């Protein structure tokens, strides 16, 4: 079980270095946290007990980041929008922490990577004309450069029992999706689009269509991997209007929750109302029969009272628990449904306002005021910040009694009316403020200062603007206050304020990415700070209303690891990726320079596995251990840990990588703009998950970064084609997984490091078609260029056609199903046309309307796998010359 917990630990370490974003735009910070939060939910689903400590730490750090963002009034609109989008996934993660039994249901949204990685190189998907075909319920991994797009094509069948949606859940990019009828429409408004529907990922409905649709998958941030799938969908449609004027409300967020009842639900996705107030919401299919829907206005300046359907008033926090009195109604019951008229008519509500001053009557600018309905948990509070005059105002409140709390850095928090809290106000009720619709209720505050510790941080004796976390712990070791030592974007040496604190003694610890953690005074933690370092720390005495205690902590940087990566075939390897792995999670990474050298700093002291990977080379863990994936320790047995220790010589780790195996080949008979994938499989036809795939426009491909060994290789041509195994082994019309292909008959291919195996070729064939061959009746030679047509026996409508290749072979299929079909030929080479089986057309062909289908043998599609054999007779020479 421990690896599951360790995987969750990665979330915390990964979140540390990203906090140093500028205060006005932390968009990339939220992108990284999006995937970390979703992976943390997976960890809770797998082993809640083991994952709990790491998840609690992640949530605590997220709260710090959010608090810092709240304090930055200049946060960009985009950054705030991305932060708001994470509210739902965070709600689910907290729910998993509180109710582990629900975690397995919540984590269903995370899509596991399957199939080879479609690399950023090559032409597959780089344009609409080169779109990659996506098979429903067969997710793909696509590498996308920063601020770039990849195109996919997918069919959303007419008359399907459930609509399809495109999902990017599980991606580590900020994904947005737009759907078009065809490539000619891409410069116009998309017929469907989505962004930030679940966290920073998209879930976009596909309209039913008789032809494949084109989908643009945009990466709005840094280079990363997209997981994309076509899944069944529930669809909720409605409108949001004002109750007083019936005017439409645009840009109102609508959230969906799934569960067996309104009291047991998980967040399942969001949408936003358009200019006319209409919205379309595609919630995720989390386990549970019912879908509940509610509005969620902006938390900073709400204008309308939120509602859960149907007419249940809500506070603005996530979820349904803060909605009431009354119980929300299910907007949809069951999966695979589409419902309409889930409408909301919103009121402007009540107002609470006031001013926050100190004991001397001076305004406390930036004080945070939290307002929650009496009886609800603090997590459901609505917050706002006081202006430069200490004033605050909160609109759009439902009628009722409210608990109002004010807090500010360096001051004791206070519950209205004038109830001071030493550290945490918890559930203290205070005097409730009564709010009445269209009314304004006054609640003023006068804050007193408590004891505090002001911490300034230097690194190697110099001021720093790098972000550090500062913690104050009571004598029992419990952290009672935390802050930034240097806020993101601040000037070097900005202090972290711990407090207000009640009278007592405290020990202060400072942590930071790439810095050796330390307790005051000069107690360096060799690895993670433990009880021994805590006991050795210097206690700091704090008294109420006494001047702040100012201390300085000088941190040391963790030593840098340096090295060089070269190839056994000679020369440096540029752009190789070096990662530091600890507890089965990536802690830091970098790339080699043009001369193969690198340097990377660990986030904390201690031992790490160092891993090197490079395209077309065998990946290794230090020292000389072949290792495809260092996150799974069993894959890399025998590694040597590299130790980062305080006050020691900086470590080094050099790598000499062997060229890896590669296969190349071509897929013939592809349809125009047809994409495909080639998978490396075990001899039991199970995917090995390795390889980097690229496709060229002429059907040639390369699958690189393959390990040594003996493998099968399979063609995955998309929804319209059949799975095949090399060499020429057809898996059948019904096979959708390679494990459904015949256990024997495939040709194994032996790979050796550094080898390039050519000629792993495939020939595309339609999933529901029939293979056949046309030959000369007299000579038996194959006849190329013969047209093969498919007709309905009843009515004679032509449903499909193809042309024989140089070997006289064909693969033909009707455009869509039917009870029975006839197959006939048409040619311009002097052969008598036929209707299958052996019915000659005296004049012309069925296509020309001169040959009736009388006596045609019904042909089943896709049939039993047997070939249709047609032998044509040459026309009489005299007849050809025009003589009777």
């Amino acid at each position: 079980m421990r690896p599951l917990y360790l995987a969750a630990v990665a979330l915390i370490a990964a979140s540390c270095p990203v906090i140093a974003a500028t205060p006005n735009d932390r968009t990339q910070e939220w992108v990284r946290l999006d995937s970390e939060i979703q992976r943390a939910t997976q960890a809770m689903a797998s082993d809640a007990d083991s994952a709990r400590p790491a998840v609690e730490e992640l949530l605590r750090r997220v709260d710090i980041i959010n608090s810092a963002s709240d304090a930055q009034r200049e946060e960009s609109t985009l950054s705030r929008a991305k932060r708001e989008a994470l509210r739902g996934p965070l709600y689910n993660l907290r729910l998993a922490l509180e109710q582990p039994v629900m975690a397995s249901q919540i984590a269903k949204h995370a899509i596991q990577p399957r199939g080879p990685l479609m690399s950023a190189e090559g032409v597959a998907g780089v344009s609409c004309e080169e779109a990659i075909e996506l098979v429903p319920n067969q997710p793909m991994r696509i590498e996308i450069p920063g601020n770039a797009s990849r195109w996919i094509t997918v069919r959303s069948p007419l008359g399907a029992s459930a609509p399809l949606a495109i999902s990017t859940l599980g991606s580590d990019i900020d994904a947005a999706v737009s759907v078009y009828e065809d490539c000619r429409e891409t410069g116009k408004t998309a017929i469907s689009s989505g962004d930030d529907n679940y966290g920073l990922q998209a879930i976009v409905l596909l309209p039913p269509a008789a032809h494949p649709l084109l989908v643009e998958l945009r990466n709005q941030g840094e280079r990363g991997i997209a997981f994309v799938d076509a899944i069944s969908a529930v669809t909720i449609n409605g409108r949001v209007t004002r109750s007083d004027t019936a005017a439409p409300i645009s840009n109102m967020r609508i959230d969906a929750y799934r569960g067996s009842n309104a009291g047991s639900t998980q967040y399942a996705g969001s949408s936003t109302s358009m200019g006319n107030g209409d919205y379309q919401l595609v919630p995720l299919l989390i386990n549970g029969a019912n879908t509940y829907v509610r509005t969620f206005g902006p938390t900073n300046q709400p204008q309308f009272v939120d509602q859960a359907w149907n007419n249940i008033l809500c506070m603005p926090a996530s979820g349904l628990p803060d909605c009431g009195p009354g119980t929300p109604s299910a907007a949809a019951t069951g999966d695979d449904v589409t419902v309409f008229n889930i409408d909301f008519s919103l009121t402007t509500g009540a107002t609470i306002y006031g001013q926050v001053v100190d004991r001397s009557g001076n305004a406390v600018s930036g004080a945070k005021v939290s307002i929650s309905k009496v009886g609800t948990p603090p997590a459901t509070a609505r917050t706002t910040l006081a202006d430069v005059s200490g004033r605050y105002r909160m609109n759009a409140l439902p009628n009722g009694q409210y608990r109002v709390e004010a807090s500010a850095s360096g001051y004791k928090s206070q519950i209205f009316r004038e109830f001071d809290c030493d550290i945490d106000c918890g559930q203290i009720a205070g005097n409730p403020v009564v709010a009445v619709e269209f009314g304004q209720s006054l609640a003023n505050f006068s804050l007193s200062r408590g004891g505090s510790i002001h911490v300034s941080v230097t690194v190697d004796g110099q001021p720093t603007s790098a972000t550090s976390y500062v913690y104050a712990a009571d004598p029992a070791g419990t952290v009672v206050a935390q802050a930034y030592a240097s806020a993101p974007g601040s000037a070097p040496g900005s202090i972290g304020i711990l407090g207000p604190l009640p009278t007592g003694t405290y020990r202060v610890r400072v942590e930071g990415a790439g810095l050796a953690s330390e307790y005051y005074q000069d107690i360096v933690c060799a690895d993670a700070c433990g009880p021994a370092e805590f006991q050795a720390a210097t206690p700091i005495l704090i008294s109420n209303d006494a001047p702040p205690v100012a201390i300085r902590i000088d941190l040391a940087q963790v030593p840098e690891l340096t090295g060089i990566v070269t190839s056994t075939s000679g020369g440096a390897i540029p752009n190789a990726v070096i990662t530091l792995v600890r507890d089965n999670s990536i802690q830091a990474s970098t790339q080699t320079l043009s001369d193969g050298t690198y340097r990377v700093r660990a986030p904390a002291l201690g031992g790490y596995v160092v891993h090197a990977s490079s395209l077309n080379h065998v990946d290794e863990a230090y020292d000389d251990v072949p290792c495809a994936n260092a996150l799974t320790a069993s894959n890399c047995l025998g590694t040597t840990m590299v130790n980062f220790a305080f006050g020691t010589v900086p470590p080094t780790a050099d790598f000499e990588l062997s060229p890896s195996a590669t296969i190349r080949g071509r897929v013939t008979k592809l349809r125009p703009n047809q994409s495909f994938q080639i998978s490396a499989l075990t001899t039991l036809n199970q995917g090995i998950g390795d390889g980097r795939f690229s496709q060229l426009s002429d059907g040639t491909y390369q699958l690189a970064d393959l390990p040594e060994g003996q493998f099968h290789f399979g063609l995955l041509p998309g929804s319209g084609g059949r799975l095949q195994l090399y060499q020429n082994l057809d898996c059948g019309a019904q096979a959708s997984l390679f494990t459904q292909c015949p256990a024997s008959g495939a040709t194994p291919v032996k790979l050796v490091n550094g080898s390039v195996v050519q000629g792993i070729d495939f020939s595309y064939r339609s999933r529901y078609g029939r293979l056949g061959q046309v030959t000369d009746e007299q000579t038996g030679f194959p006849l190329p260029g013969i047209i093969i047509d498919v007709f309905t026996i009843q009515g004679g409508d032509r449903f499909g056609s193809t042309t024989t290749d140089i070997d006289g072979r064909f693969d033909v299929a009707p455009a869509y199903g039917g009870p029975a079909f006839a197959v006939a030929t048409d040619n311009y080479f002097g052969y008598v046309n036929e209707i299958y089986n052996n019915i000659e057309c005296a004049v012309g062909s069925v296509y020309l309307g001169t040959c009736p289908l009388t006596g045609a043998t019904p042909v089943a599609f896709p049939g039993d796998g047997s070939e249709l054999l047609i032998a044509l007779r040459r026309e009489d020479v005299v007849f050809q010359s025009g003589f009777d």
Side-chain angles (χ1 to χ4, degrees), residues 365 414 844:
S365 174
Q414 189 177 94

Side-chain angles (χ1 to χ4, degrees), residues 795-872:
D797 297 317
R798 187 168 65 94
F799 269 28
S801 65
T802 190
T803 304
T804 59
D805 64 14
I806 193 170
D807 296 318
R809 295 194 172 276
F810 63 86
D811 178 0
V812 68
Y816 42 91
F821 296 94
V823 174
T825 68
D826 188 25
N827 80 95
Y828 303 93
F829 305 116
Y831 287 90
V832 178
N833 288 310
E834 288 188 4
I835 302 170
Y836 185 81
N837 190 7
N838 295 320
I839 299 177
E840 290 190 349
C841 296
V843 180
S845 65
V846 178
Y847 175 78
L848 295 174
T850 58
C851 184
L853 289 171
T854 306
T857 299
V859 177
F861 289 87
D864 57 5
S866 61
E867 292 192 354
L868 303 177
L869 302 178
I870 302 174
L872 299 184

Side-chain angles (χ1 to χ4, degrees), residues 62 432-433 453 496 529 544 729:
V62 169
V433 177
I453 304 173
C529 291
N544 280 340
L729 181 62

Side-chain angles (χ1 to χ4, degrees), residues 363-379:
V364 181
S365 174
K368 183 170 77 171
V369 180
S370 301
I371 300 176
S372 59
K373 255 193 169 183
V374 172
T376 61

Side-chain angles (χ1 to χ4, degrees), residues 90 276 309 356 401 461 463 480 509 522 618 647 711 721 733 771 787:
L90 276 169
N276 63 356
W309 198 78
V356 184
Q401 294 186 330
V480 295
R509 183 178 82 247
D522 299 329
V618 178
F711 304 98
L771 294 178
I787 301 171

